[in-house]
Amino acid sequence: EIYKNKSAPSAEISQTAMQEKTPIDVIAETANKLAQNLKSQILDEISQKKPSFFEYLAARLLEKTGYGVGRLTKSGADGGIDGIIDEDELGLSQIYVQAKSWQGTVSRPEIQKFVGAISDKQTKKGVFITTSKFSKDAERYAANALAAYLFVIYFALSFCV
């Protein structure tokens, strides 16, 4: 029993020592928490704005990341296309954009509607961006649709970190 009593505290000390974090670990953990907080605040702000704000934001984001010059389609009944990115100066190669600022999961029928909207366009490149998440079925459909010319993006704000 004396042996067990002596070994118990040292076992606790070694576990505590292993659980202690270095200053770098604390900084990294704090930075991750702050980034998650910021992402949450930005998504909250976006969700309180009109849908046209997120459409504008998505088009500008694609433009600023080098995909080309973006423009929004008309407000209201836009035929399922919220924006168009001209990949070249003449506008011969285009990417069609659908931007949804949603709270619920984006399901396969929404992706199918977008694919239908771009199916009669000269180019078949499309980007569907949402503040929500995609259902697994929607992701599978998008992965197989239009031979990899359709991209679905969860607006996770990874560019903030």
Side-chain angles (χ1 to χ4, degrees):
E1 286 188 328
I2 292 174
Y3 177 76
K4 288 182 183 176
N5 287 340
K6 287 182 180 179
S7 66
S10 66
E12 288 175 10
I13 291 171
S14 65
Q15 285 180 343
T16 304
M18 291 176 70
Q19 290 176 352
E20 286 183 19
K21 297 175 185 170
T22 66
I24 292 173
D25 293 337
V26 172
I27 291 169
E29 187 177 293
T30 303
N32 285 335
K33 285 180 183 177
L34 288 171
Q36 291 301 323
N37 235 359
L38 178 61
K39 289 177 186 182
S40 179
Q41 288 176 355
I42 291 172
L43 286 173
D44 286 345
E45 277 293 317
I46 291 170
S47 71
Q48 293 174 19
K49 306 270 187 205
K50 292 180 180 180
S52 59
F53 173 78
F54 185 65
E55 293 166 5
Y56 171 82
L57 182 63
R60 293 292 83 74
L61 176 66
L62 291 170
E63 188 175 293
K64 294 296 182 184
T65 53
Y67 285 95
V69 179
R71 67 183 189 278
L72 297 178
T73 58
K74 62 183 177 186
S75 294
D78 54 22
I81 297 170
D82 296 324
I84 300 170
I85 305 292
D86 292 322
E87 290 184 286
D88 58 63
E89 291 182 15
L90 297 175
L92 298 175
S93 181
Q94 298 176 323
I95 301 171
Y96 296 92
V97 180
Q98 176 67 270
K100 295 280 188 194
S101 178
W102 278 9
Q103 297 298 321
T105 302
V106 176
S107 61
R108 178 180 171 149
E110 292 301 317
I111 304 298
Q112 287 174 307
K113 288 179 198 173
F114 181 55
V115 168
I118 64 174
S119 65
D120 65 341
K121 304 299 180 202
Q122 190 172 358
T123 60
K124 305 286 188 252
K125 297 176 189 174
V127 178
F128 192 116
I129 301 177
T130 183
T131 55
S132 182
K133 296 199 179 197
F134 295 95
S135 70
K136 292 292 179 196
D137 195 34
E139 288 175 354
R140 276 191 299 273
Y141 179 80
N144 295 319
L146 301 175
Y149 287 108
L150 176 68
F151 298 95
V152 292
I153 301 172
Y154 166 53
F155 191 71
L157 300 170
S158 57
F159 58 87
C160 290
V161 215

